[in-house]
Amino acid sequence: MAESGRSPLYLARSSYRRRRLIDAQRLLPIFLFLLYLLPLLWGGSSQDDPIGGGVRGYVHVFSVWLGAIVISGLIARALMKAETLEDASRDFGEPKQTTTSDQSGDQGTGDL
Amino acid sequence: MLPFNILVLACLSYAGFLFAVAFWAEKRAERGELGWLRSPMIYTLSLSIYCTAWTFYGAVGYAARSGLEFATIYMGPTMVMIGWWWILRKLVRIGRTQRITSVADLISSRYGKSTTLGVLVTVLAVVGTTPYIALQLQSVALSFAVFGLANPGRLVLPDLNNTALWVAAGLALFTIVFGTRNLDANERHHGVVTAIALEAIVKFFGLVGVGIFVVWGIGDGVSDMLARIDASPVTNVDIDGTRFLTLTILSGAAFLTLPRMFQVLVVENAEERHLFTASWAFPLYLFGMSLFVIPIAVVGLDVLPDTSNPDMFVLTLPLKYDQQALATLSFLGGFSSATSMVIVAAIALSTMVSNHIVMPIWLSSRKEGATVVGDVRSVVLLSRRLSIAGVLALGYLYFHFSGGSEALAAIGLISFTGIAQVLPAMLGGIFWRGGTRTGAIAGLLIGFTVWAYTMFLPSFGDAAGFTTDLLTHGPWGIDMLRPQALFGVEGVDPVVHAVVWSLALNTGAFIVGSLLSFPRPVERLQGAQFVNIFEHTGSTRSWSHGTAEAEDLLVMAQRIIGASEAQALFYAEADAQGKQGYLPDPTPQFLERLERELAGSVGAATAHAMLGQIAGGLVVSVEDLMAVADEAAQLLEHSSQLEAQSEELARTARKLREANEKLTVLSIQKDAFLSQISHELRTPMTSIRAFSEILRDGSAGTEEMDPESLTRFSGIIHDEARRLTRLLDDLLDLSVLENGQVSLNWSRTNLHDVIDRALVATEQGLEGRDLIIERNEVSEHIAIETDADRLAQVFINLVANVRKYCVNDAPVLRISARRLENDHIQVDFTDNGIGIPAQNQTVIFEKFSRLSDQAKAGGAGLGLAICREIVDNLGGSISYLPGQGGASFRIDLPRVHTKKR
């Protein structure tokens, strides 16, 4: 991949996008983890509710879960497209290859 | 109420259906029609073996006891999957490039192909997985019992033990049939994976079906359900924060290290791209499996009597409302989750046991090494099959003797913690080059010991000597060593206590051990390979000076990866080196590649040891390592173009060298031939001249020659003239063939008939040595379009050669014919003589080349040259096949004649 130590310092627009998508993919589990632990701060001895108890905790955990899945799916989709573009430009030596559109369409259906 | 017999019938026909699906998928894969069999969705579904019977039945029980905490078990893997770019991507890449066969192989391979580590991880995995398999058997037996209990009139109460035994036997059969079809663990088990994907769907709909029934059937829609949840005791307990956090991390760790998960995640991964889809689809699957767990638990506690087991709510709820179809679906779902887990776990464990325990023992018990002994493949396959049966037997015995009374969740967590001990060595191995074998061994041993002491053995209670007295006062009254309050850490949940202590001490020992020890060269090479997997995927070059004989290597490779595969590999390598035939130069690169191929079948450590027996220079020295490093630094300066050019040059040079060698040999042989051919021509000439002079003088002289002598002399002249003609005929034939002027008589014929003709023809007229012919006549019946006379001529020549040159006292000729996929046919003629020495193998097809000067040879060394020309004209090729025990010739012909050139 493009991660070798000798890759250029400044990248073209498409490669730059791809890098940021990877950043997002890497950060996502960390945000998920923090949000998921949030119910531990609710309730407790000073309040009437038990820690993280009640339907509130249930709804929260499962909403965060679903949200992370949706975002992860979107990132994966975009990354896959970027990867195909990159492969194509590497194969044909032309960065804007139009034939990739049907390939990414393929993956679009694969996603569903 | 559902009759119990019908349930058994449903269960059996479902199992039969799974067999059929697996069989169908295997057949399809065999024909190469993979299609969606290797789609990312199948990959995602196969990951669902994470959800075992523990999820299907146990999650509801867990939720009924501890509320939301059950979700930690699914949240951990969700985070690992969503964060796949961190760890999974690297693991999968390493698994694919290094041809890793199991989690034990990964650890062993990373730390210098260490056998000790392989054994250690294997033992840990077997100990950790056995209770888990027992748990699956127990849950299936229990679910049968639920139906039996609900239905006492129909049938006697099913015996839990018998049920479990039958299930275990059936699973062993399935796994052996579909799990050991191919030796190379990196080849996919399409049948198993497809069946598991199907089971994934069944269990998903089983659980979701019950959930929907609970929310909309028993309850009154979403808002009503939310109100019920809020009021239920399930959500009215404090969440224990430390437990919550620990279990999330633990389940994430176990997701990576469980042998069965590693098998489907890494080993069975067909394409890295599948991770893109799995990264969100698998969390979605887990989400769906977990969503209804709390509602089911809430309603179950609400409507079912207090005495009912919460672990079985998924079954007892539909049964209470007399929903037979739903109950059956749910039962099949539970059955699916138990069986799919056991199947994959058995495959993964059997690979580990056979590669890391059986093979090393077997290898060291053979002093001669891998080259001399018989077929290694059958040994490996047998040991895998026995291991599968053994693993299932262990699981059954554990179930039988533990009595299976514990809550499902407790066993699951013990198993998770045990196998998670691999995590420090695994993560340290792929992210830290400083991790060493010593550190990994120390960490694993300490983690394993602490786990056994604080968690595994106490779970047996008195039976293992862990009495309440010991638990409260410690061994010999030493307070510090209390199993559940180690070093005076009191008041902590036992699970958290065990997880934290075992993993902390494990990691500590791994780091300290690594910092203090010095790695061996192979470890450093492998470490750099694993950690920097994305930077250079080239070879590690752990073979410095190959002293191996290519032919020995071929013999060994044939025995492990199979004859045709090995031949193809060697042929391709020789081709890449610019050589002809099946014997490439044993360069370090080739040895490396060969070792990796073998590792796919028998694991890295065993492959390394086997190759070491042949190649000699097993150990790389530090100097070699430095040389490799220097070389790498220099390579960076070269552009890839230069590299390609130099490679091309090397290839050309090798070709030239080979051509030159061949020319020199030929020139010598030609000289020898010239003197011989003149001799051969001269001898008959001399006698013809001498006898014709006698005849001439006799008829002119006074003495009448008696008719007897007359006949004798003219007979001699005739014979000698015939010998001359035959020699000249051969030469003419060859020159016609060589110039391509020969007209071939193409016709359709049966290969079997041609071989028959050749055998009949060679039976007569030659001295009476008995030649035993071994052939498989059925496989020879192949319709072929060729020139039957010419082909028969080739066969006759080969058979005659065996008669003439095979030095064995009881010569045996084996003829084997097969049809290839590319519509070619292949015929091998193999004898049991001494074969042809490697240095002569390249010249035997040249004209006038004769290996022996034996008088009885009687030919001029034209036979094989003519054969080659004929086969060439027929559009095929003939080659010498080394490493078959004797001399072996392979003829490769197109089955149908195509107008060529």
Side-chain angles (χ1 to χ4, degrees):
Chain A
M1 297 286 134
E3 290 196 345
S4 74
R6 293 179 299 131
S7 53
L9 196 53
Y10 302 103
L11 300 161
R13 193 185 177 85
S14 62
S15 315
Y16 181 87
R17 272 287 118 237
R18 189 172 158 273
R19 291 287 175 87
R20 299 295 82 78
L21 281 170
I22 294 170
D23 289 347
Q25 180 79 61
R26 287 185 160 170
L27 289 173
L28 187 60
I30 298 170
F31 280 114
L32 169 63
F33 191 58
L34 294 177
L35 279 175
Y36 152 80
L37 290 180
L38 208 58
L40 295 181
L41 302 176
W42 300 343
S45 50
S46 59
Q47 293 161 42
D48 295 340
D49 296 333
I51 296 175
V55 75
R56 186 160 72 139
Y58 171 72
V59 172
H60 173 82
V61 165
F62 279 82
S63 321
V64 169
W65 197 338
L66 193 63
I69 292 169
V70 171
I71 297 173
S72 173
L74 291 176
I75 295 176
R77 223 181 122 95
L79 252 181
M80 215 141 82
K81 213 176 261 179
E83 202 101 314
T84 323
L85 270 174
E86 189 141 305
D87 284 352
S89 62
R90 210 176 297 147
D91 290 350
F92 303 114
E94 288 169 39
K96 296 257 159 59
Q97 193 73 24
T98 43
T99 51
T100 51
S101 59
D102 58 32
Q103 272 173 299
S104 55
D106 248 19
Q107 271 125 26
T109 51
D111 274 354
L112 296 173
Chain B
M1 190 52 73
L2 195 69
F4 187 69
N5 312 6
I6 290 190
L7 186 79
V8 173
L9 191 70
C11 184
L12 284 180
S13 45
Y14 179 66
F17 181 56
L18 285 181
F19 268 89
V21 166
F23 186 73
W24 170 80
E26 280 291 347
K27 283 285 145 218
R28 221 180 122 107
E30 239 166 58
R31 289 199 306 268
E33 299 165 13
L34 284 167
W36 53 267
L37 284 186
R38 48 182 297 159
S39 73
M41 275 302 157
I42 296 282
Y43 177 66
T44 308
L45 286 174
S46 73
L47 296 186
S48 74
I49 53 156
Y50 181 76
C51 302
T52 62
W54 182 25
T55 298
F56 200 84
Y57 298 120
V60 174
Y62 196 162
R65 281 180 277 267
S66 324
L68 200 53
E69 193 186 291
F70 91 93
T72 55
I73 304 299
Y74 310 99
M75 213 51 179
T78 299
M79 283 170 200
V80 172
M81 251 359 255
I82 287 185
W84 64 283
W85 203 273
W86 290 104
I87 303 173
L88 269 181
R89 193 172 77 106
K90 201 163 188 179
L91 265 186
V92 169
R93 176 68 67 87
I94 290 173
R96 292 171 62 82
T97 43
Q98 299 285 326
R99 303 185 57 93
I100 299 295
T101 59
S102 65
V103 65
D105 196 30
L106 177 86
I107 302 292
S108 140
S109 178
R110 159 63 179 85
Y111 297 104
K113 302 169 189 178
S114 148
T115 313
T116 321
L117 271 172
V119 172
L120 210 58
V121 178
T122 305
V123 170
L124 183 68
V126 171
V127 174
T129 310
T130 305
Y132 214 112
I133 289 178
L135 172 73
Q136 310 302 317
L137 298 178
Q138 174 193 335
S139 66
V140 174
L142 269 181
S143 62
F144 267 108
V146 165
F147 277 86
L149 275 176
N151 196 22
R154 296 279 177 172
L155 204 86
V156 278
L157 227 158
D159 182 355
L160 285 188
N161 252 321
N162 266 343
T163 321
L165 186 62
W166 276 109
V167 173
L171 285 173
L173 180 72
F174 182 91
T175 316
I176 288 173
V177 168
F178 293 105
T180 58
R181 287 179 81 85
N182 33 39
L183 196 55
D184 188 343
N186 282 85
E187 283 173 33
R188 319 267 105 67
H189 298 105
H190 292 288
V192 173
V193 168
T194 313
I196 279 166
L198 181 75
E199 293 197 296
I201 296 171
V202 171
K203 66 191 179 199
F204 186 81
F205 284 109
L207 199 59
V208 170
V210 175
I212 289 173
F213 171 68
V214 163
V215 175
W216 283 279
I218 305 175
D220 203 11
V222 179
S223 50
D224 172 52
M225 188 48 63
L226 291 180
R228 274 182 184 226
I229 292 173
D230 206 27
S232 165
V234 169
T235 56
N236 278 327
V237 282
D238 275 339
I239 295 180
D240 182 343
T242 45
R243 241 181 100 92
F244 202 70
L245 202 62
T246 311
L247 291 181
T248 308
I249 295 169
L250 176 66
S251 64
F255 183 68
L256 289 170
T257 52
L258 280 170
R260 65 171 198 279
M261 288 320 297
F262 192 85
Q263 176 82 22
V264 285
L265 263 176
V266 178
V267 183
E268 300 273 350
N269 174 282
E271 268 178 59
E272 231 171 284
R273 299 181 66 91
H274 289 174
L275 281 175
F276 281 111
T277 308
S279 72
W280 60 266
F282 183 62
L284 189 63
Y285 186 93
L286 289 177
F287 176 83
M289 290 293 276
S290 316
L291 186 60
F292 293 105
V293 166
I294 290 236
I296 296 172
V298 166
V299 172
L301 284 179
D302 217 12
V303 299
L304 290 172
D306 287 347
T307 50
S308 55
N309 181 0
D311 283 335
M312 287 292 141
F313 278 177
V314 185
L315 280 182
T316 41
L317 265 179
L319 278 179
K320 180 178 164 67
Y321 290 90
D322 210 20
Q323 295 285 328
Q324 292 169 7
L326 189 60
T328 314
L329 179 65
S330 154
F331 170 81
L332 287 182
F335 182 75
S336 294
S337 28
T339 49
S340 53
M341 177 270 164
V342 176
I343 290 166
V344 181
I347 291 178
L349 286 182
S350 75
T351 312
M352 283 156 89
V353 169
S354 87
N355 283 358
H356 296 285
I357 295 183
V358 178
M359 283 310 286
I361 293 175
W362 182 82
L363 258 188
S364 60
S365 72
R366 310 265 167 172
K367 287 192 185 61
E368 309 95 322
T371 45
V372 198
V373 292
D375 195 353
V376 181
R377 288 165 66 81
S378 58
V379 176
V380 180
L381 274 182
L382 183 70
S383 84
R384 275 207 198 150
R385 290 184 176 140
L386 288 180
S387 314
I388 288 173
V391 164
L392 280 163
L394 270 181
Y396 171 73
L397 289 178
Y398 185 96
F399 164 76
H400 184 80
F401 289 110
S402 72
S405 60
E406 268 175 294
L408 298 179
I411 308 185
L413 284 179
I414 293 172
S415 189
F416 269 31
T417 316
I419 200 65
Q421 300 307 323
V422 179
L423 191 73
M426 180 192 264
L427 291 189
I430 65 173
F431 288 111
W432 184 37
R433 278 178 63 179
T436 69
R437 193 176 74 103
T438 319
I441 292 178
L444 275 171
L445 277 179
I446 287 188
F448 185 64
T449 315
V450 174
W451 167 71
Y453 184 67
T454 57
M455 200 174 196
F456 186 59
L457 294 176
S459 77
F460 293 100
D462 289 356
F466 280 70
T467 52
T468 14
D469 184 51
L470 184 108
L471 289 181
T472 45
H473 299 297
W476 308 288
I478 305 172
D479 254 14
M480 289 301 238
L481 293 182
R482 275 173 294 167
Q484 295 185 338
L486 215 53
F487 308 123
V489 179
E490 281 173 85
V492 187
D493 178 83
V495 175
V496 176
H497 174 267
V499 171
V500 171
W501 268 127
S502 62
L503 279 178
L505 291 177
N506 179 339
T507 313
F510 171 66
I511 293 174
V512 172
S514 297
L515 291 178
L516 293 183
S517 61
F518 193 82
R520 295 174 305 157
V522 185
E523 274 177 73
R524 295 173 80 177
L525 283 170
Q526 289 292 94
Q529 262 296 273
F530 275 52
V531 174
N532 305 328
I533 190 80
F534 292 110
E535 270 136 57
H536 47 82
T537 39
S539 73
T540 46
R541 297 284 287 284
S542 60
W543 297 102
S544 46
H545 311 290
T547 53
E549 280 292 329
E551 192 154 353
D552 293 341
L553 291 173
L554 177 60
V555 170
M556 182 189 69
Q558 283 184 136
R559 286 179 174 150
I560 297 176
I561 58 179
S564 53
E565 287 85 354
Q567 285 158 15
L569 174 73
F570 275 63
Y571 189 83
E573 181 66 27
D575 202 41
Q577 290 185 359
K579 292 184 69 174
Q580 283 182 348
Y582 290 87
L583 297 180
D585 286 342
T587 57
Q589 290 93 329
F590 174 56
L591 288 179
E592 190 60 42
R593 188 171 155 212
L594 181 64
E595 182 186 326
R596 210 167 281 170
E597 288 292 328
L598 299 182
S601 291
V602 291
T606 310
H608 196 65
M610 286 178 122
L611 220 52
Q613 287 180 336
I614 292 179
L618 172 63
V619 208
V620 253
S621 64
V622 180
E623 284 71 35
D624 290 330
L625 206 60
M626 302 307 282
V628 172
D630 274 352
E631 203 178 316
Q634 283 169 9
L635 272 183
L636 279 180
E637 291 161 21
H638 290 279
S639 71
S640 60
Q641 210 179 357
L642 265 178
E643 210 175 308
Q645 273 178 356
S646 71
E647 226 167 74
E648 180 64 42
L649 270 177
R651 207 171 14 240
T652 322
R654 198 179 274 124
K655 248 184 202 161
L656 278 175
R657 202 171 60 228
E658 207 175 50
N660 186 35
E661 276 166 16
K662 207 158 139 185
L663 280 176
T664 320
V665 173
L666 273 181
S667 146
I668 295 169
Q669 285 202 335
K670 210 154 202 161
D671 287 346
F673 167 77
L674 276 178
S675 66
Q676 192 188 346
I677 197 84
S678 11
H679 178 71
E680 298 254 351
L681 288 172
R682 229 184 119 200
T683 322
M685 278 301 196
T686 318
S687 50
I688 289 172
R689 208 182 66 204
F691 285 106
S692 53
E693 272 169 12
I694 294 175
L695 287 182
R696 188 191 61 195
D697 296 348
S699 56
T702 48
E703 276 176 72
E704 271 300 307
M705 195 171 272
D706 60 310
E708 208 176 297
S709 309
L710 199 68
T711 328
R712 197 160 64 86
F713 292 154
S714 47
I716 290 173
I717 294 175
H718 180 73
D719 283 350
E720 294 298 323
R722 253 188 38 198
R723 217 172 113 192
L724 270 178
T725 321
R726 204 170 58 224
L727 189 62
L728 293 172
D729 275 350
D730 273 358
L731 281 168
L732 269 177
D733 200 13
L734 192 63
S735 88
V736 167
L737 281 164
E738 273 184 340
N739 294 333
Q741 295 162 336
V742 65
S743 60
L744 293 167
N745 187 12
W746 292 97
S747 63
R748 280 175 184 278
T749 179
N750 186 331
L751 182 66
H752 178 256
D753 299 342
V754 182
I755 297 177
D756 266 354
R757 252 174 73 186
L759 290 177
V760 170
T762 49
E763 254 167 37
Q764 313 154 345
L766 280 156
E767 63 260 61
R769 287 182 67 201
D770 273 338
L771 179 63
I772 299 165
I773 311 271
E774 279 177 11
R775 49 195 286 221
N776 180 357
E777 308 218 7
V778 181
S779 68
E780 286 170 7
H781 284 287
I782 305 171
I784 171 171
E785 200 176 353
T786 187
D787 184 329
D789 297 330
R790 285 298 191 171
L791 191 57
Q793 189 186 347
V794 173
F795 292 164
I796 289 169
N797 214 306
L798 291 176
V799 179
N801 273 353
V802 174
R803 283 188 185 275
K804 272 190 250 171
Y805 302 116
C806 183
V807 294
N808 202 303
D809 290 334
V812 176
L813 171 64
R814 199 172 68 244
I815 303 176
S816 59
R818 71 196 72 83
R819 189 173 163 180
L820 302 182
E821 275 158 28
N822 56 2
D823 211 24
H824 271 232
I825 56 163
Q826 227 173 39
V827 192
D828 291 353
F829 286 77
T830 309
D831 69 27
N832 60 347
I834 48 167
I836 293 171
Q839 71 268 22
N840 289 332
Q841 284 170 12
T842 49
V843 294
I844 46 174
F845 291 110
E846 303 301 334
K847 292 175 279 199
F848 316 131
S849 77
R850 289 174 55 174
L851 300 183
S852 59
D853 293 320
Q854 285 166 296
K856 68 171 174 178
L862 294 175
L864 282 175
I866 293 179
C867 284
R868 189 180 66 173
E869 291 302 329
I870 292 177
V871 177
D872 235 24
N873 276 294
L874 291 175
S877 63
I878 179 168
S879 53
Y880 183 75
L881 201 59
Q884 305 302 314
S888 176
F889 291 90
R890 166 166 291 177
I891 297 161
D892 194 302
L893 283 173
R895 204 179 62 79
V896 180
H897 172 51
T898 43
K899 297 273 180 293
K900 57 164 190 173
R901 292 190 280 268

